[in-house]
Amino acid sequence: MLSYFRINDPYRLLGAFVILLIISIPRLIDYPGLTYPELKSILIGEKVHEGLNLYDELIDSTGPLNAWSQAFIEWIFGRSLLARHILTLFALFLQAAFLGIVFSEKKAFSENTYIPSLIVVILACFSFDMLSLSAELLGSGVLLLALNSMFREMEFRDRPDSTFKIGFYISLASLFLFSYAIFLPGAIIFLSIFTRSTWRKYLLMIIGFLLPHFLLMSIYFINDHLYALWQHYYLPNFSFGGMRQMEIKDLMFLGIFPILYLLVSFFILNREARFTKYQSQLVQIMFFWMLFSLIQIFYSKELRPQSFITLLPVFAFYMTHFILLIRRRKFAEISIWIFLLGTVAIGYLAQYGKLESIGYEKLILSDRKGIERIENKSVLLLDDDLSVYKSNKLGSGFLNWNMSEEIFREPDTYENVEAVYHSFKKDKPEIILDPKNYMQAYLKRIPELRAVYRKTGDGFYELIQNQH
């Protein structure tokens, strides 16, 4: 297999796609279950497609490019998970192919090879969560364009458009997932160490980064929603803390083979490798990319296997160097087969619950007790459990409970009453689940809602149908 990808022929990339497909087919057929990020992406896509204004009417901190992308996908495929997973496979393959082509063009290794694409494809199968069509996946594709521009700037050094593109691509990636903005100071450090760029180039990079954000702000300012953009997008994403959908130890066990191979690659490269000056700089750049990827991962709001997607280029780069340094090709072939079988085997064993040290309980949505009779309804749950939306649609725009709770907890504030009124006026949920009894205070203050909702149980409100 390895000899197949050592040949410098772009058509060999089709072999990488076949391998990705073969490994992923069992997951396409028998997917473990809807995950929290997937359901949230579906809900965001539905509400944006229905016409709710992001941040003003739909309360969440997701990136605007991700929200609009999810709306487009929802418009075409609806709630189909299979369609989303197939699209993800193509996206992963395109990223693997692009990375292999970039490394080949930049002469990153002692020979032109598409082994990096093979390694990315294998790593893309280390967990079923990698099949999620999420902001991490979409944004990481744009980050690869920024990485390519950094290589180009280091190679030519006299092209100011490269530095502008670096900032611009990182900015677009941050509009998918805000934590990707971490790579901007990383890029500045890269260039200051390896290119000795002038202050004009740094300024161009910063302008390239700020331009899409200023355009976004201008659109919201014109529509008089700038405060909502700041309050519900920028401010929450500047803060630290988030949701750990898997524990660090679980992720370490899940990625034990990639981690071991990366450590061995570091050790072998330090002892055996002989680089040109240019290749040595690439090695250092990828090391810095790894450091900033780790910072980004722990700064981001969610922690799960797919959060590590920005590390795929790092693993592919160093492991390819390690494999090419193995003098006997038979041993190199054996090493890649051990890596493939070990990574995929652990991923599938963890998926089917055969490894007690790896748990997906927080990632896969379980059914909420007591809601079995609620199906195909427009529902608003005043709580942080999204499982009710597996078989129902979100009513109103209060998606992110961490942000929405601040509104429902203070019914004496006029702005909060107005926000609830306008949200319900545009999109009345058929059922309201209110376990903490927040809704009663708002029904007292908004007669129009009090007239169309009746309480039929503890924390359970129904919309009077002839008033809908």
Side-chain angles (χ1 to χ4, degrees):
M1 179 177 65
L2 199 60
S3 58
Y4 177 86
F5 289 98
R6 292 183 92 136
I7 298 174
N8 185 21
D9 178 9
Y11 287 102
R12 303 282 166 163
L13 292 170
L14 294 177
F17 180 71
V18 172
I19 292 172
L20 177 62
L21 190 60
I22 291 172
I23 298 174
S24 302
I25 280 177
R27 285 176 177 152
L28 294 176
I29 297 172
D30 184 24
Y31 196 69
L34 188 65
T35 64
Y36 171 86
E38 287 176 323
L39 178 57
K40 186 177 178 182
S41 296
I42 289 171
L43 295 174
I44 289 171
E46 287 177 344
K47 303 313 289 185
V48 175
H49 182 215
E50 289 172 9
L52 266 67
N53 295 323
L54 191 60
Y55 311 124
D56 176 50
E57 296 171 330
L58 179 58
I59 309 300
D60 193 62
S61 59
T62 192
L65 291 184
N66 179 51
W68 297 331
S69 299
Q70 298 298 340
F72 180 73
I73 294 165
E74 193 278 334
W75 173 57
I76 298 176
F77 299 110
R79 285 199 169 196
S80 173
L81 272 182
L82 180 60
R84 284 173 162 80
H85 295 162
I86 292 173
L87 284 176
T88 302
L89 284 180
F90 279 104
L92 288 169
F93 166 69
L94 290 175
Q95 291 188 25
F98 178 79
L99 192 65
I101 292 170
V102 167
F103 283 148
S104 180
E105 287 182 349
K106 303 306 177 188
K107 311 293 182 185
F109 309 110
S110 57
E111 57 185 83
N112 288 337
T113 176
Y114 289 102
I115 294 175
S117 298
L118 171 64
I119 293 173
V120 170
V121 160
I122 296 171
L123 290 169
C125 301
F126 90 107
S127 172
F128 73 88
D129 176 55
M130 295 293 288
L131 285 178
S132 298
L133 190 59
S134 63
E136 285 86 351
L137 174 73
L138 299 172
S140 65
V142 184
L143 277 181
L144 290 181
L145 298 175
L147 182 62
N148 182 41
S149 294
M150 279 189 273
F151 288 162
R152 189 181 299 273
E153 172 62 21
M154 192 186 68
E155 186 177 5
F156 295 105
R157 302 191 181 187
D158 57 349
R159 299 183 59 176
D161 62 311
S162 294
T163 53
F164 178 84
K165 288 179 181 178
I166 293 169
F168 183 75
Y169 290 141
I170 293 175
S171 181
L172 292 182
S174 71
L175 292 177
F176 281 104
L177 187 68
F178 188 81
S179 60
Y180 283 164
I182 290 290
F183 287 94
L184 180 66
I188 293 173
I189 293 174
F190 297 159
L191 298 186
S192 65
I193 294 175
F194 301 114
T195 66
R196 297 179 183 175
S197 299
T198 64
W199 66 269
R200 292 182 180 85
K201 287 192 174 184
Y202 296 123
L203 185 60
L204 271 174
M205 189 190 303
I206 294 172
I207 291 173
F209 178 83
L210 294 176
L211 191 61
H213 285 275
F214 279 145
L215 178 61
L216 177 67
M217 291 179 192
S218 300
I219 294 171
Y220 274 79
F221 176 77
I222 292 170
N223 292 282
D224 199 26
H225 299 321
L226 183 60
Y227 178 76
L229 175 68
W230 172 257
Q231 189 73 13
H232 296 144
Y233 177 56
Y234 286 106
L235 205 58
N237 281 300
F238 279 133
S239 62
F240 287 89
M243 181 184 297
R244 281 191 176 184
Q245 289 151 348
M246 285 187 72
E247 298 298 326
I248 296 292
K249 64 176 182 63
D250 295 351
L251 293 167
M252 295 288 286
F253 278 115
L254 189 61
I256 188 67
F257 269 87
I259 292 171
L260 287 175
Y261 267 73
L262 183 64
L263 294 175
V264 171
S265 299
F266 282 145
F267 178 75
I268 297 298
L269 260 64
N270 189 49
R271 292 189 57 185
E272 304 291 338
R274 298 294 182 268
F275 298 120
T276 65
K277 181 181 178 182
Y278 174 71
Q279 289 174 336
S280 179
Q281 289 178 333
L282 291 182
V283 169
Q284 295 173 66
I285 281 183
M286 294 310 297
F287 183 78
F288 274 104
W289 185 272
M290 180 184 68
L291 293 180
F292 278 91
S293 293
L294 292 173
I295 294 172
Q296 177 271 319
I297 289 165
F298 291 104
Y299 172 68
S300 62
K301 301 305 174 185
E302 296 178 359
L303 184 63
R304 61 183 189 277
Q306 200 183 41
S307 301
F308 292 81
I309 194 169
T310 53
L311 285 172
L312 265 56
V314 177
F315 281 91
F317 180 81
Y318 287 110
M319 286 177 58
T320 300
H321 272 297
F322 160 61
I323 290 171
L324 293 177
L325 283 171
I326 301 176
R327 294 181 178 86
R328 295 190 179 182
R329 295 201 171 192
K330 180 177 67 174
F331 293 150
E333 192 78 32
I334 292 172
S335 69
I336 198 68
W337 274 106
I338 292 173
F339 175 68
L340 188 155
L341 296 175
T343 301
V344 174
I346 288 181
Y348 271 101
L349 288 172
Q351 176 180 327
Y352 289 104
K354 303 300 182 182
L355 298 177
E356 295 182 359
S357 55
I358 303 173
Y360 286 107
E361 295 82 9
K362 294 181 181 178
L363 183 61
I364 300 176
L365 280 164
S366 57
D367 293 328
R368 184 183 177 93
K369 294 181 180 178
I371 62 166
E372 294 82 2
R373 62 191 178 94
I374 305 174
E375 285 190 1
N376 300 318
K377 298 286 187 179
S378 172
V379 178
L380 172 62
L381 172 65
L382 302 183
D383 200 356
D384 60 356
D385 184 1
L386 295 183
S387 57
V388 67
Y389 301 118
K390 288 173 66 175
S391 55
N392 298 284
K393 287 192 173 183
L394 171 66
S396 79
F398 298 106
L399 173 60
N400 188 317
W401 181 241
N402 289 332
M403 298 164 62
S404 302
E405 188 176 16
E406 299 177 5
I407 297 174
F408 283 93
R409 242 184 347 199
E410 299 180 6
D412 295 327
T413 305
Y414 173 76
E415 288 79 8
N416 293 344
V417 175
E418 186 181 34
V420 172
Y421 171 74
H422 284 293
S423 181
F424 276 66
K425 186 177 181 180
K426 187 161 186 175
D427 183 14
K428 290 187 180 69
E430 296 174 82
I431 293 174
I432 302 173
L433 300 176
D434 183 19
K436 297 180 182 177
N437 199 30
Y438 287 120
M439 200 63 203
Q440 189 64 39
Y442 281 92
L443 293 179
K444 289 180 181 178
R445 288 163 174 77
I446 308 176
E448 186 176 324
L449 296 185
R450 189 168 64 246
V452 298
Y453 282 100
R454 67 167 179 262
K455 190 172 185 179
T456 59
D458 186 22
F460 195 98
Y461 297 85
E462 282 187 305
L463 181 67
I464 302 173
Q465 293 302 317
N466 60 2
Q467 298 289 338
H468 184 39

